[in-house]
Amino acid sequence: MLRNLSIAAVAALAVAPVGVFAQTTAAQAVAPASDTAFLFNTLFMLLAGLLVMWMAVGFTMLEAGFVRSKNVAMQITKNISAYAVAGAGFLIIGAALQNPVDGWAIDGFLSGTAPGWTGIEDAGSGAPGQGGVASGGASFFLQLMFCATTISIVSGAVAERVRLIPFMLFALAITSVIYPLQASWSWGGGFLADLGFVDHAGSVVVHTVGGWAALAGVVILGPRVGKFRADGRVNPLPGSSLPLSALGALILWFGWFGFNGGSAVMADAMQGAVDIGRVVVNTNAAGVGGVLAGIILTRALYSKVDLTLVLNCGLAGLVSITADPVHASPGLALIIGAIGGAIVVLGVPLLDRFRLDDVVGAVPVHLGAGIWGGVAAGFVNPEGSVIAQLVGIGLIGCFVFGVSIVMWFALKLVIGLRFNPEVEADGLDLNELGLEAYPDFVGYEDA
Amino acid sequence: MLRNLSIAAVAALAVAPVGVFAQTTAAQAVAPASDTAFLFNTLFMLLAGLLVMWMAVGFTMLEAGFVRSKNVAMQITKNISAYAVAGAGFLIIGAALQNPVDGWAIDGFLSGTAPGWTGIEDAGSGAPGQGGVASGGASFFLQLMFCATTISIVSGAVAERVRLIPFMLFALAITSVIYPLQASWSWGGGFLADLGFVDHAGSVVVHTVGGWAALAGVVILGPRVGKFRADGRVNPLPGSSLPLSALGALILWFGWFGFNGGSAVMADAMQGAVDIGRVVVNTNAAGVGGVLAGIILTRALYSKVDLTLVLNCGLAGLVSITADPVHASPGLALIIGAIGGAIVVLGVPLLDRFRLDDVVGAVPVHLGAGIWGGVAAGFVNPEGSVIAQLVGIGLIGCFVFGVSIVMWFALKLVIGLRFNPEVEADGLDLNELGLEAYPDFVGYEDA
Amino acid sequence: MLRNLSIAAVAALAVAPVGVFAQTTAAQAVAPASDTAFLFNTLFMLLAGLLVMWMAVGFTMLEAGFVRSKNVAMQITKNISAYAVAGAGFLIIGAALQNPVDGWAIDGFLSGTAPGWTGIEDAGSGAPGQGGVASGGASFFLQLMFCATTISIVSGAVAERVRLIPFMLFALAITSVIYPLQASWSWGGGFLADLGFVDHAGSVVVHTVGGWAALAGVVILGPRVGKFRADGRVNPLPGSSLPLSALGALILWFGWFGFNGGSAVMADAMQGAVDIGRVVVNTNAAGVGGVLAGIILTRALYSKVDLTLVLNCGLAGLVSITADPVHASPGLALIIGAIGGAIVVLGVPLLDRFRLDDVVGAVPVHLGAGIWGGVAAGFVNPEGSVIAQLVGIGLIGCFVFGVSIVMWFALKLVIGLRFNPEVEADGLDLNELGLEAYPDFVGYEDA
């Protein structure tokens, strides 16, 4: 199997748009669902898609609170523009790359050829009676929202320094090409799925992908002006509004029930309903584990509980359970989440040591805990194997980090990524947007 | 048909409570739905109603962020009081005006006579087996939330100057009389529906109605102190918190899936489910189009991306698709939304030229893009015609703007609309509420 | 019946873990539900559970806005840590105390013995065809969220002075022991249910429980430094952000539709759907009544509308209808809610008179209006009686207030509850967390 894997992997990376997808043509035959199952699945998929859309709002608030007041409007602009770019890019390009052939789980939806501007006409048709388990539109929307999540992860890591246009171009690359290509390897019958790689809702396929792209951006961009002092000390540069960050983190927690639950929709709606119940309980338990680990560890290590770390630990708990929220018991989910939280508490100072400036902690939360979640699924999922998980994590990581490094570097060369240091010190809002996020209030820099 | 229209229109305006509704008595016979369809429709209608309720929160945050810090508490008070007035007024008066006769889509709910304090007892009964497609309570709640949206649109436009009591009286007028009367012309078998006017979820019936009432208020109230200088220049008066406004705009986007989706509930639940999937995809695509248009146009025109305009452009995209989110392809929805966004970018300076002070941009977003959305539905909907759309838009506009002008003017004469200029300059919060929204923080005016 | 009651009550308090629950063993036989009903109920229960989870976010924002800026991060930390403690405590201990025997409404879920770390493995199994009406996981999650609500109520009342660790220990006590024990008296066939005590979604079982525990905390903790002056005057100590509090209150309103609606899920899904529709309409009407009462009364009494009171009045309206949102007409619900609002307007100064420092007004809102709601259900519910309601309210109150006073007092003795006055005056954020919630902004205390 590993021999086949290496051949398949090379082939996939080389001729992905042709070879890989041809393999998946006949992969999934979906049993025709009853009207009741179709309605239930559609409604649940819509609810899940809405909750994941709401996570985009959560990321926006989380990041707006974690940046300094002089960069808040810019951070919001980046998040909204990235969501818009994802909405257009995945619609026109990405969806066709992710599911280009017949035989995708939802038949009759995005099949045969790339939709392009003609094929889009049919998007959302997914008529009942064609063997579909849910409305094609609801399914497309959920896929789009997963895709959009990846760039939300990136935007926080590269905050307070990257310019808007190169960021939007990277957003276009990841949402219309990078994410969809690798998602097709794992979901809907790709070669990683054939190898036994399992990832229920995307600890690896979504979160490590965003995390690798974020890490590549952090490496190429370099740290913010003033983050790392010449004497080796780290300047914390605290965010402007902890309530806003807490709101964002809690929105993400809330939305995660849809993120994890939506992937439990299946042709057998009764089994799906039971699984969804388990998923919701386990997802919450993992977030709880992350928070408790964060409180205990920050108090033990620093003698004070650190709210910013606790928020990120909760999110890391949620990332950790995402690869398999179905098969764990709630108690085990709590422990898996707690380990995810511990990864964040240990990972944040590690980044500082390497002088990597990840503004919101996206790399430890989404990449660190995402890898852990992927590995954990190898233990928890009866059909999983740790080796297949490591292979999947490795291949996805190599592809995404490699392409992202190249992309960020090309953007740096061609149009430039950053402002000059004076502009960055003044704040991006005044210079790039010509406005202030909080124009009525006196800041310490003004006083 | 146009001949019939003019007669019907005059008759409608003259004897609306009797004549118009009598026409609709036998208009809609609803096929009895199966238990499954009833349950699905009820659940989806509830979800939609909740999402539209959540939009009221979105408007509140959007407007609280767009006003100056000295008027924030007052703006929140207005939004919450308006929601409460709508909740009581539509329950006691408005629902009976909108649906006073047998034959409304949900049989056995609000039928026969005005509910009044006796009839309310039955509100929410909508028993299964009476031919209904969904629970009467769920349907009533969704109708109420649509109604409440109209006054949320108005409150932003007239912010920072109108007094609380006259605003609450106008809220009572629009939610208990103005909105319900004209809604009955188009929805559930009114004379505009008979003429071929189509408006899926209310680009015209909700958004232009709010927009016309807002424009009337802006005209009668006059601009805020200091908005327009004697030398002809415009003082921008930036809002106190862009993150709060962004949160509000994103809440509205999230809620819009219910706003547009809820109107796709139908007796054939399977068809409804497929339509709802399309609606969600198209609604998102239109918002995306609006945002992208806003980014491109503000950068092209002003060389800087303007976040406040981008937020409003996204909302305008959503307004534009509301009249028909079912029949457009996602690509077309994106274009329709982009045109809506362009209307806002061009409309905001136009208002300034006419010295109309619309604090949050409600008139370009809801009236401008609402008219465009109504017209677009004439092209997109196979059963629509542009002429019927223009007739509907015109009649609704004449009625709402006319009645609103009279209402605002009467309030001005009888109890007065504004504070004296010194009080307004000090801020409404201290004078009308006796408190501050952000009492701990030093503002530039204090410093 | 009253004679039996007193015996049962004593027995319950004395031997609760054995005696009471044995009585309920065979109490509820649930009719097997069809697949359609199972799917509908599961989906609605999940939606309700998510909405109640969202209420935890609402409480966090409400309280973060109502405390001074120097204590905001600590208040958020308390809310998130309490949610996490509830998530672990109810999972491991509380659920087993609330439903320790066979015969709970959802068969095959939490049955037989305390789950402990073994039993948790089965949590969420709730297989279809076992006579269940919904997924076990969905049901467990909803129960957990109800439980977590109680500590959210407490955290606001004791804000700005209690230390984190004793607060977390109290959170553990209430969510893993106090709440589950008394919930089993009323829900799922307990002895209060046998006496005729009715409480649809917990005006008494949730809100007065949180309110009593909050009152006990306020009594034992004493007021904040500077709240009550030596000359008898009350220092208002306004909160740092009214928009944040308004957001929180409106999130709570939104979530309340799930809080009240989730309890209307029943084996007969069609009846459940109709009831849920009524519940949503009535819940909204009661909140509306509370807001209107708050506006009218604060204007009448103080000549200015008080937004902080209006927010709390709306919440009190929602608390008031929670004990029976099914049987009231919307008009009656509006009146019940208005009376709840009036209780808050009158109750807040009453607390001041007794020098009880309840930072957010949790006691009047949740205890005052919760008692009223419990009494009102005795009139509104055809199966209710005012005497049974008073007995239930009294027994639950005695138990919760008594245990809470002991618990708070023990924590005070053993580990101490408060900081020294200088630390409290400096703010808890800097001292307990080592950070600031709004580090970029100049406050009046800094200026």
Side-chain angles (χ1 to χ4, degrees):
Chain A
M1 182 156 151
L2 269 180
R3 175 191 295 267
N4 289 342
L5 166 71
S6 57
I7 297 169
V10 171
L13 291 168
V15 295
V18 180
V20 174
F21 301 124
Q23 291 185 297
T24 68
T25 305
Q28 298 220 340
V30 177
S34 70
D35 282 12
T36 300
F38 186 91
L39 292 172
F40 173 80
N41 288 341
T42 296
L43 196 40
F44 194 78
M45 230 176 219
L46 280 166
L47 182 58
L50 292 175
L51 287 168
V52 183
M53 184 274 169
W54 187 229
M55 290 173 76
V57 184
F59 278 110
T60 305
M61 295 297 121
L62 182 82
E63 298 171 13
F66 273 157
V67 300
R68 288 164 293 172
S69 56
K70 60 187 174 187
N71 298 322
V72 168
M74 184 69 166
Q75 195 58 28
I76 294 169
T77 305
K78 283 174 188 164
N79 273 275
I80 292 176
S81 67
Y83 180 83
V85 164
F90 187 78
L91 178 68
I92 300 169
I93 305 168
L97 291 180
Q98 188 174 341
N99 304 289
V101 289
D102 286 348
W104 188 43
I106 287 132
D107 219 81
F109 174 48
L110 279 171
S111 59
T113 54
W117 284 94
T118 320
I120 293 166
E121 304 289 323
D122 297 325
S125 61
Q130 300 187 3
V133 298
S135 135
S139 168
F140 173 82
F141 184 68
L142 183 59
Q143 296 295 332
L144 166 60
M145 292 301 112
F146 271 73
C147 174
T149 300
T150 55
I151 187 63
S152 293
I153 294 166
V154 177
S155 63
V158 300
E160 301 205 279
R161 53 206 193 280
V162 72
R163 285 169 52 220
L164 181 61
I165 299 300
F167 173 75
M168 287 178 69
L169 291 172
F170 187 84
L172 184 62
I174 194 170
T175 59
S176 62
V177 179
I178 301 172
Y179 168 82
L181 269 187
Q182 62 83 34
S184 73
W185 300 351
S186 308
W187 288 346
F191 77 92
L192 285 180
D194 292 344
L195 288 173
F197 174 72
V198 291
D199 190 3
H200 176 84
S203 284
V204 181
V205 176
V206 177
H207 291 279
T208 72
V209 166
W212 286 117
L215 181 61
V218 165
V219 167
I220 300 292
L221 272 167
R224 288 167 288 176
V225 172
K227 174 68 183 178
F228 299 110
R229 298 185 194 160
D231 63 2
R233 294 179 59 199
V234 178
N235 200 348
L237 304 180
S240 51
S241 175
L242 271 176
L244 212 54
S245 289
L247 174 63
L250 293 170
I251 289 176
L252 286 170
W253 192 317
F254 179 65
W256 226 289
F257 297 112
F259 196 92
N260 286 356
S263 300
V265 169
M266 53 178 73
D268 178 351
M270 290 295 278
Q271 189 57 49
V274 171
D275 282 358
I276 289 164
R278 293 181 70 96
V279 165
V280 168
V281 171
N282 285 339
T283 300
N284 194 64
V288 162
V291 165
L292 293 176
I295 291 171
I296 292 166
L297 289 175
T298 60
R299 189 164 176 106
L301 293 175
Y302 308 116
S303 83
K304 289 184 191 296
V305 174
D306 184 326
L307 176 58
T308 63
L309 276 175
V310 168
L311 295 176
N312 272 334
C313 289
L315 298 180
L318 295 162
V319 171
S320 305
I321 200 66
T322 296
D324 191 354
V326 178
H327 298 97
S329 71
L332 186 54
L334 199 148
I335 293 166
I336 289 172
I339 294 171
I343 288 170
V344 167
V345 174
L346 304 174
V348 166
L350 204 68
L351 281 177
D352 281 344
R353 186 164 308 166
F354 289 104
R355 302 201 146 231
L356 294 169
D357 183 11
D358 171 5
V359 177
V360 304
V363 172
V365 170
H366 298 279
L367 180 55
I371 291 174
W372 156 240
V375 172
F379 293 103
V380 174
N381 189 323
E383 296 176 10
S385 91
V386 174
I387 290 173
Q389 295 305 97
L390 291 173
V391 169
I393 292 166
L395 284 177
I396 290 171
C398 290
F399 171 68
V400 176
F401 186 71
V403 174
S404 296
I405 280 277
V406 171
M407 183 74 198
W408 282 116
F409 193 70
L411 287 169
K412 183 176 182 175
L413 281 185
V414 178
I415 60 171
L417 291 174
R418 294 183 65 162
F419 302 90
N420 67 54
E422 292 73 35
V423 168
E424 191 177 312
D426 282 352
L428 310 189
D429 289 3
L430 275 178
N431 284 285
E432 183 111 318
L433 304 179
L435 46 72
E436 292 178 90
Y438 300 102
D440 283 8
F441 301 103
V442 176
Y444 283 102
E445 301 199 353
D446 318 301
Chain B
M1 184 158 152
L2 271 179
R3 177 193 291 267
N4 288 344
L5 166 71
S6 58
I7 296 169
V10 171
L13 291 167
V15 296
V18 180
V20 175
F21 300 123
Q23 289 184 298
T24 69
T25 305
Q28 297 220 340
V30 177
S34 70
D35 282 14
T36 300
F38 185 92
L39 292 172
F40 173 81
N41 288 339
T42 296
L43 196 39
F44 194 79
M45 228 175 220
L46 280 165
L47 182 58
L50 291 175
L51 287 168
V52 183
M53 185 273 169
W54 187 228
M55 290 174 76
V57 184
F59 278 110
T60 305
M61 294 299 121
L62 181 82
E63 298 171 12
F66 273 157
V67 300
R68 288 165 293 172
S69 56
K70 60 188 174 186
N71 297 322
V72 167
M74 182 69 166
Q75 194 59 28
I76 294 169
T77 306
K78 283 175 188 164
N79 272 275
I80 293 176
S81 68
Y83 180 82
V85 163
F90 188 78
L91 179 68
I92 300 168
I93 305 168
L97 291 181
Q98 188 174 340
N99 305 287
V101 288
D102 285 348
W104 188 42
I106 289 133
D107 220 80
F109 174 47
L110 279 172
S111 59
T113 54
W117 284 94
T118 320
I120 293 167
E121 304 288 324
D122 297 325
S125 62
Q130 300 187 3
V133 297
S135 134
S139 167
F140 173 83
F141 184 67
L142 182 59
Q143 297 294 333
L144 166 59
M145 291 301 112
F146 270 73
C147 173
T149 301
T150 55
I151 187 64
S152 292
I153 294 167
V154 177
S155 62
V158 299
E160 302 205 279
R161 54 207 194 280
V162 72
R163 285 169 52 220
L164 182 60
I165 299 300
F167 173 75
M168 288 178 68
L169 291 173
F170 187 83
L172 185 62
I174 193 170
T175 58
S176 63
V177 179
I178 300 173
Y179 168 82
L181 268 188
Q182 62 82 34
S184 73
W185 300 351
S186 308
W187 287 346
F191 77 92
L192 286 179
D194 293 343
L195 288 173
F197 174 73
V198 291
D199 189 4
H200 176 83
S203 285
V204 181
V205 176
V206 178
H207 291 279
T208 71
V209 166
W212 287 116
L215 181 61
V218 166
V219 167
I220 300 291
L221 274 166
R224 288 167 288 176
V225 171
K227 174 69 183 176
F228 299 108
R229 296 185 196 159
D231 64 3
R233 294 179 57 198
V234 177
N235 199 349
L237 305 180
S240 50
S241 174
L242 272 175
L244 212 54
S245 289
L247 174 63
L250 293 170
I251 289 175
L252 286 170
W253 193 317
F254 179 66
W256 227 289
F257 297 112
F259 196 92
N260 286 355
S263 300
V265 170
M266 54 178 73
D268 178 350
M270 291 295 278
Q271 188 57 50
V274 171
D275 282 357
I276 289 164
R278 294 183 69 96
V279 165
V280 168
V281 172
N282 285 338
T283 299
N284 195 62
V288 162
V291 165
L292 293 177
I295 291 172
I296 292 167
L297 288 176
T298 59
R299 191 164 175 104
L301 292 174
Y302 308 117
S303 84
K304 289 184 192 294
V305 173
D306 184 326
L307 177 57
T308 62
L309 276 175
V310 168
L311 296 175
N312 272 334
C313 288
L315 298 180
L318 295 162
V319 171
S320 305
I321 201 64
T322 297
D324 191 353
V326 178
H327 297 97
S329 72
L332 186 54
L334 199 148
I335 293 167
I336 289 172
I339 294 172
I343 288 171
V344 167
V345 175
L346 303 175
V348 166
L350 203 68
L351 281 177
D352 281 345
R353 186 163 308 165
F354 289 104
R355 303 202 145 230
L356 293 169
D357 184 11
D358 171 5
V359 176
V360 304
V363 172
V365 169
H366 297 279
L367 180 55
I371 290 174
W372 156 241
V375 172
F379 292 103
V380 174
N381 190 323
E383 295 176 12
S385 90
V386 175
I387 290 174
Q389 295 305 98
L390 291 174
V391 168
I393 292 165
L395 284 178
I396 290 171
C398 289
F399 170 67
V400 175
F401 187 72
V403 174
S404 296
I405 280 277
V406 170
M407 184 75 198
W408 283 116
F409 193 71
L411 288 168
K412 183 177 181 174
L413 280 185
V414 178
I415 61 172
L417 291 174
R418 295 184 64 162
F419 301 90
N420 68 54
E422 292 74 34
V423 168
E424 191 178 311
D426 282 352
L428 309 190
D429 289 4
L430 275 178
N431 283 285
E432 183 110 318
L433 304 178
L435 45 74
E436 291 178 90
Y438 301 102
D440 282 9
F441 300 104
V442 175
Y444 284 101
E445 300 199 352
D446 319 303
Chain C
M1 181 158 150
L2 270 178
R3 177 192 292 265
N4 289 343
L5 165 72
S6 57
I7 296 168
V10 170
L13 291 165
V15 295
V18 180
V20 174
F21 301 122
Q23 290 185 299
T24 68
T25 306
Q28 298 219 339
V30 176
S34 70
D35 282 14
T36 300
F38 185 92
L39 291 172
F40 174 81
N41 287 341
T42 297
L43 195 39
F44 195 80
M45 229 174 218
L46 280 166
L47 181 58
L50 291 175
L51 287 168
V52 183
M53 184 274 170
W54 187 229
M55 290 174 75
V57 184
F59 278 110
T60 306
M61 295 298 120
L62 182 83
E63 296 170 14
F66 274 157
V67 301
R68 288 164 293 172
S69 55
K70 62 188 174 186
N71 297 323
V72 167
M74 183 70 167
Q75 194 59 27
I76 294 169
T77 306
K78 283 176 187 163
N79 273 274
I80 292 176
S81 68
Y83 180 84
V85 164
F90 187 78
L91 179 68
I92 301 168
I93 306 168
L97 291 181
Q98 189 175 339
N99 304 288
V101 288
D102 286 348
W104 189 42
I106 288 132
D107 220 81
F109 175 47
L110 279 170
S111 59
T113 55
W117 285 93
T118 320
I120 292 166
E121 305 288 322
D122 298 325
S125 62
Q130 300 188 3
V133 297
S135 134
S139 168
F140 173 82
F141 184 67
L142 183 60
Q143 296 295 332
L144 166 59
M145 292 301 113
F146 270 73
C147 173
T149 300
T150 55
I151 187 63
S152 292
I153 294 167
V154 176
S155 63
V158 300
E160 302 205 279
R161 54 206 194 280
V162 72
R163 285 169 53 218
L164 183 60
I165 299 301
F167 173 75
M168 287 178 70
L169 292 172
F170 188 83
L172 185 63
I174 194 170
T175 58
S176 62
V177 179
I178 300 173
Y179 168 82
L181 269 188
Q182 62 82 35
S184 73
W185 300 351
S186 308
W187 288 345
F191 78 91
L192 284 180
D194 293 344
L195 287 173
F197 174 71
V198 291
D199 190 4
H200 175 84
S203 284
V204 180
V205 175
V206 177
H207 291 278
T208 71
V209 166
W212 286 116
L215 181 61
V218 165
V219 167
I220 300 292
L221 273 166
R224 288 166 290 176
V225 171
K227 174 67 182 178
F228 299 109
R229 297 184 193 160
D231 64 3
R233 293 179 58 198
V234 178
N235 200 349
L237 305 180
S240 51
S241 174
L242 271 176
L244 212 54
S245 289
L247 175 63
L250 293 170
I251 289 174
L252 286 170
W253 193 316
F254 179 66
W256 226 288
F257 296 114
F259 196 92
N260 286 356
S263 300
V265 170
M266 54 179 72
D268 178 352
M270 291 294 278
Q271 188 57 49
V274 172
D275 281 358
I276 289 164
R278 294 182 69 97
V279 165
V280 169
V281 172
N282 284 338
T283 299
N284 195 63
V288 162
V291 165
L292 293 177
I295 291 172
I296 292 167
L297 288 175
T298 59
R299 190 164 174 105
L301 293 175
Y302 308 117
S303 83
K304 289 184 192 295
V305 173
D306 184 327
L307 177 57
T308 62
L309 276 175
V310 169
L311 296 175
N312 272 334
C313 289
L315 298 179
L318 294 162
V319 171
S320 304
I321 201 65
T322 296
D324 190 353
V326 178
H327 297 96
S329 71
L332 186 54
L334 200 149
I335 293 167
I336 290 171
I339 294 171
I343 288 169
V344 167
V345 175
L346 303 174
V348 167
L350 203 68
L351 281 176
D352 281 345
R353 186 163 310 166
F354 289 103
R355 304 202 143 229
L356 294 169
D357 184 10
D358 171 5
V359 177
V360 303
V363 172
V365 169
H366 298 279
L367 180 55
I371 291 174
W372 157 239
V375 172
F379 292 103
V380 174
N381 189 322
E383 295 176 10
S385 90
V386 175
I387 290 173
Q389 295 305 99
L390 291 173
V391 169
I393 292 164
L395 284 178
I396 290 170
C398 290
F399 171 68
V400 176
F401 187 72
V403 174
S404 297
I405 280 278
V406 170
M407 183 75 198
W408 283 117
F409 193 71
L411 287 168
K412 183 176 182 175
L413 280 185
V414 178
I415 61 171
L417 291 174
R418 294 184 66 162
F419 301 90
N420 67 54
E422 292 74 33
V423 168
E424 190 177 312
D426 282 352
L428 310 189
D429 289 2
L430 275 178
N431 284 284
E432 183 110 318
L433 305 179
L435 46 72
E436 291 179 89
Y438 300 102
D440 283 8
F441 300 104
V442 175
Y444 283 102
E445 300 198 352
D446 319 301

